[in-house]
Each structure stands twice: as C-alpha cells, then as structure tokens.
Amino acid sequence: MTTEKETGAHLRTRPAFAVGAGIFLSRIVGFVRDAVIAAFFGTGLVADAYTAALRIPNILRNLLGEGTLSASFIPVYSGLLARGAEREGRRLAGTILGILLALAALLSALGILLAPWLTRIIVPGWSPDAVGLTARLVRILFPMAGFMILAAWSLGILNSHRRFFLPFAAPIVWNLSQIAGLLIAWRIGWEPLVVALAWSTLIGGALQFFVQLPAALKMAGRIRLSLDVKWEAASRVLRNLGPVVLGAGAYQISSLLDVFLASFLVHGAVATLYFSQRLYFLPVSLFGISVAASALPELSRDAELENRDALKLRLRNGFRSICFTVIPSAFAFILFGDWIVSLLFERGTFGEESRVLVHATLAAYAVGLLATASAKLFASGYHAMLDTRTPVKFAVVGLSLGAATGAALMWPLYAAGLALGGAVAAWTNVILLWAGLDRRLGAVFEAQDLAYILKIVGACVVGAVAGLAVEWLTSSGSGPGGPLWQTLWVTTGTLGAFGVVYLATSAMIRTLPMGGLRAWAGRAS
C-alpha cells in the first residue's frame, strides 16, 4: 500500500525524472552529433565559423525560447488552470501563439538581412574570409531561431499540463537531422561541407517544433490565434516576459562577449568553448533544468494559494536533488574529464592539443557547475511569485563581474580563463538569489542542508580515490589518446568505480534519496 509520504515523493520525482529522461536521450544523440562534427572539423577555423554562426541565432532562442517564455507564460497559464478557468486558458494559449508567430517571422527576416553586420560585430578579430563564411552560415541558420521560439510555446503548454517528456526529448530530431545531413553531404561530395551542416541544422529546428505541435494542440484544446496584447492575461504574460528577456539578454551579452574575446585568441578558442560547454551543460540540463522545469508549475500553484511553507519545502528538496547529482559531476569533469573528452571527440582532426584545451576549459567551468545548475530553480521561486525583475538584477551583477574576470584571465589561461569568469558569474548570481529568497520567505535552508552538502562532498572524495585507483590500474600509466577500445575501457572503468563507490558511500551516510527512488520504482513497475 502506498503511503502519503511515498506519494509525495513520487509527485516530486516523476516529473523531474520525465524531464531528465527526455534531456538524457536528446543529449546522448547530441554527443553523437558532436562527435561527428568534431571528426570532420576538429577545433579549427571551420569549426569556429559554425559554432559562432550557431551562437548568433541562438541569441533569439535564449531570449524568447524555453526558459524565458516558461518563466512568464507557465505561471499565468497554470494559474488559470488551477482556478478551473479553462476557457481563459485556451484564449491565452491562442493569443501567445499568435504573437510568437508574428514575432518569429519578423525577427528571422531581420536576422537574414543583418547577418553580415552581426557577424562583424561578434568576431571582429577574425580574417575577412572567416567572417564571410560565418555570415553565410548565419543567414542559413537564423530562421531556426523562429522555430525554436514556437517550440517554446509547445513546451509551456505541455509542462503546464504535466506532460514533461516530449518537449525535452524533441531535440533528438534536431540532432539526428544534423548527423544525417552531414553524413549524406559527405557521401555525395557537397562542398563546403559546413554549409550542408547548416541547412540540416535549420531543418532540424523546424522538425523540433512540428513534432511537439500535435500534442500541444491536444492539451490546449480548441484555440484561436490572436494578437490581442491588451487582454489582461496576455498583457500580464508580456509584462512578466520583459524583465525575463532582459535577464536572458544580460546572459547572452556575456555569452557573446566570450565569443568576442575568444576571436582575438588563436583560431580554435570559440570551438574549444563550444565542445567544453556541451559536456558542462549535460548535468545542468539533466539535473538542474529538469528539477526547475518540473517544479515551476507546482511552485506557481503554491504561490497562487499563498502557501509559503510549501514553496520553501519544494525549493529545499529541489536543491538537495541537484546537489546529489551535480557535485559528483563536477568532480568527474575535473579529475576524469580528459578521458571523457578523448572518448567522445578525439578522432579525425580533433587531436591531443584539442583534447587538452577542452579538458582545461571544462575543468574551469566545473568550478561553477553547482551554481549554474541551481540558479534556474532559485529564479523559478521568484517567477512563481510573478516577480521576474529581481532575478534580472542579480543576473546583471553576476554577469558583469564574471565578464571582467574572464577578460582578465583569458590571456594567461586561454579559453579556461573565460570559463572561470563564467564560474564567478554563476556563484555571484546564485548567492544573491538565495539571499533574496531568504528575505522574502524566511530561511529557506537550514544547518542540516549544509551538513547534507558536506556529506556529499565527502562521498565524492571517497569515490574519487576509487576512480583514480582504477585509472592507474587500467591505463598502465599512459594517458588518454590511445586506441578507442583502451579509452573506452579506462573511461568506463574509472567513472564506474567513482559512481559505484559514491553511491555506496552515500547510502552508508544516508544522503541517498531512497524515498524518491522507491516512489519512482514503484510507479515504473
């Protein structure tokens, strides 16, 4: 018989598991895509051009996509559903979709038109040939941002109706489109190959939206497109969206500043940042975004009912879940990241030098991993209370300090210096968010939460000793870069030993979240 406590654990666990499962599958396919791209282009000029070109339309995706639209749309839409106002909910869904359709079309057209000027601003340190290739790729890729904005609407609808897996698994088709396009173009001899990759990336963006659309329309019900921005509910979404966009804009400025600064380093710095970020954001997405995304609708319902204690408990449980998975991820990236990078990317034109640079940058990013993974959860606490302005202020402070740090460290430390700047930004932001929640809700975290974190760190240290011992035994004293079978053997053995000993130690010191695991296992069976 299921107890009330186990049911509560299940309600907390299952949505986050669905989000994490979707993200995990899409990331696995994403790593296959990255491995294919790395094999063809390495970290040279062409890889720089593609990653820079992809970053430019991604500005719009990040400004108006999943995170920002969810923060403004889901609290209002979920609030209507919680009050039983389904008719108003359908009207809001149609109005926001209509607005996004018009906005996506306009911004895509402007991006295509302004691509050469945008490229020159972003990478001023590059040669004219490199700038020209990047601008050509930007023109192809920019409409992808419009489809991603529309996909964010689908995500908001599905998450509000507690449908979490599909929107977070949908990027699988985006990744598969790129893999298929690149391999087909290589097979038929398309030149330049990177242009074929850009077209397949655009097609994948469209597919990512259309694969979600039927389910979103089914959940939303019969909707009518509208541009009625004066309607109160739609106006509230747009008002809340403004500050969130400003906060995301501050992050995008920081991200673009990294590319801007990296363009003055030798070719390969932009691609080095890209490949290290692909690994770095895996635990952020799997464990940080999954917890925050699944919590936001429930936090919004708690805020609508003015249940402050429930808000604090949900934030505390979410943070503990993030700590349990993200802290060991940071240890693994720092200690064993060279083997991980070698296994995933080191083939073709991606050689030893690329591996060393990517691992160093990944290790620097890992310093801020817990803060980055937790920031969205803490910001969701404000968003649930319809305060989208305060997180913006904190983000601007953190990003300003991080940008200054990165600019100072990039010359002696190359791309790793920019990554350390990102870590400074993340910790500054999350500390400010935490302090602000304490002032608004009362003490969110207690002394036992600090003790829990210290236990996790201790378990990681024990696991790290086991992992290093297995690395020494299986590698025969040689580093990564050997035959693929050896790299696979050492990497899986090392990470396996680290993970098993970490989990065993966690069980012994009672930090393993067994309640949530039992609840999920019971549901799965």
Side-chain angles (χ1 to χ4, degrees):
M1 182 176 178
T2 303
T3 67
E4 182 178 351
K5 182 176 180 180
E6 289 172 335
T7 300
H10 156 65
L11 290 175
R12 291 194 304 270
T13 305
R14 188 167 180 252
F17 175 80
V19 175
I23 291 174
F24 177 75
L25 293 175
S26 67
R27 292 287 175 158
I28 291 297
V29 181
F31 281 127
V32 175
R33 181 205 68 179
D34 290 337
V36 173
I37 293 174
F40 278 106
F41 305 120
T43 56
L45 186 151
V46 175
D48 270 357
Y50 175 74
T51 53
L54 189 62
R55 189 75 65 95
I56 293 173
N58 267 346
I59 297 171
L60 283 184
R61 175 188 179 181
N62 292 324
L63 286 178
L64 300 170
E66 298 95 335
T68 53
L69 185 64
S70 296
S72 59
F73 174 62
I74 289 180
V76 179
Y77 184 68
S78 294
L80 292 173
L81 297 180
R83 296 198 302 270
E86 295 181 359
R87 182 177 178 182
E88 287 79 2
R90 289 194 298 271
R91 181 182 176 187
L92 179 62
T95 301
I96 296 303
L97 180 58
I99 294 170
L100 291 178
L101 279 167
L103 190 61
L106 175 62
L107 293 176
S108 296
L110 286 175
I112 293 172
L113 180 65
L114 300 176
W117 292 274
L118 291 172
T119 305
R120 290 191 186 98
I121 292 171
I122 299 304
V123 287
W126 284 2
S127 67
D129 288 343
V131 171
L133 175 60
T134 305
R136 181 182 179 186
L137 299 178
V138 170
R139 279 201 160 121
I140 298 171
L141 289 168
F142 216 97
M144 180 194 70
F147 288 111
M148 294 300 190
I149 291 170
L150 298 176
W153 175 85
S154 298
L155 180 146
I157 294 292
L158 292 170
N159 283 8
S160 296
H161 288 274
R162 297 186 174 95
R163 301 294 188 273
F164 294 98
F165 178 76
L166 175 60
F168 289 97
I172 290 174
V173 298
W174 184 68
N175 291 315
L176 289 175
S177 176
Q178 294 173 71
I179 295 169
L182 188 55
L183 293 177
I184 292 171
W186 169 69
R187 181 70 176 174
I188 66 176
W190 186 327
E191 292 292 342
L193 195 57
V194 70
V195 172
L197 175 60
W199 280 111
S200 61
T201 304
L202 170 60
I203 293 170
L207 292 174
Q208 182 174 332
F209 167 59
F210 287 118
V211 78
Q212 300 178 67
L213 184 59
L217 291 175
K218 181 180 179 181
M219 290 293 103
R222 189 181 297 273
I223 64 172
R224 295 179 59 185
L225 297 180
S226 169
L227 296 175
D228 186 7
V229 297
K230 294 183 180 180
W231 180 45
E232 191 276 333
S235 177
R236 195 179 350 158
V237 171
L238 296 177
R239 285 198 307 270
N240 292 341
L241 181 63
V244 181
V245 169
L246 290 176
Y251 174 80
Q252 290 309 305
I253 290 172
S254 174
S255 178
L256 290 177
L257 183 58
D258 284 348
V259 176
F260 176 89
L261 294 171
S263 74
F264 292 100
L265 299 173
V266 297
H267 270 302
V270 175
T272 296
L273 289 172
Y274 171 80
F275 285 114
S276 59
Q277 287 171 354
R278 291 292 296 166
L279 285 164
Y280 169 69
F281 282 117
L282 177 62
V284 172
S285 300
L286 280 177
F287 311 123
I289 293 177
S290 63
V291 170
S294 61
L296 179 55
E298 306 306 326
L299 289 169
S300 300
R301 290 178 173 89
D302 292 337
E304 183 72 22
L305 300 174
E306 299 183 357
N307 193 339
R308 181 174 297 187
D309 289 338
L311 267 171
K312 291 197 295 184
L313 180 60
R314 206 176 297 277
L315 289 169
R316 184 181 300 122
N317 288 337
F319 181 65
R320 284 194 170 206
S321 298
I322 291 171
C323 288
F324 182 78
T325 49
V326 167
I327 293 176
S329 299
F331 269 78
F333 284 157
I334 293 171
L335 295 176
F336 313 118
D338 50 349
W339 290 99
I340 298 172
V341 172
S342 180
L343 177 64
L344 292 175
F345 305 132
E346 193 171 358
R347 58 189 56 85
T349 58
F350 192 107
E352 179 182 0
E353 182 181 1
S354 296
R355 181 236 306 157
V356 171
L357 292 174
V358 170
H359 176 218
T361 307
L362 176 63
Y365 272 127
V367 174
L369 185 58
L370 178 60
T372 302
S374 305
K376 187 172 178 61
L377 173 66
F378 292 160
S380 293
Y382 293 89
H383 298 156
M385 295 181 282
L386 300 182
D387 177 6
T388 55
R389 290 174 173 79
T390 301
V392 175
K393 300 174 185 177
F394 296 157
V396 170
V397 173
L399 293 171
S400 299
L401 183 59
T405 304
L409 295 177
M410 62 177 277
W411 299 112
L413 299 178
Y414 191 61
L418 296 171
L420 285 174
V424 170
W427 278 112
T428 303
N429 181 36
V430 82
I431 289 171
L432 291 173
L433 287 168
W434 179 0
L437 287 170
D438 270 3
R439 289 193 298 269
R440 183 167 301 191
L441 300 174
V444 176
F445 299 105
E446 302 170 354
Q448 61 188 16
D449 296 306
L450 176 60
Y452 180 82
I453 294 173
L454 292 176
K455 287 181 179 180
I456 289 176
V457 172
C460 286
V461 171
V462 177
V465 171
L468 290 170
V470 171
E471 178 189 9
W472 179 76
L473 290 172
T474 57
S475 65
S476 301
S478 61
L484 179 60
W485 68 266
Q486 182 185 37
T487 303
L488 177 63
W489 168 251
V490 176
T491 306
T492 55
T494 299
L495 293 179
F498 171 70
V500 168
V501 173
Y502 167 70
L503 290 174
T505 306
S506 297
M508 290 174 59
I509 60 178
R510 301 189 178 185
T511 59
L512 192 65
M514 293 302 296
L517 292 175
R518 281 196 301 267
W520 172 76
R523 177 71 178 185
S525 61

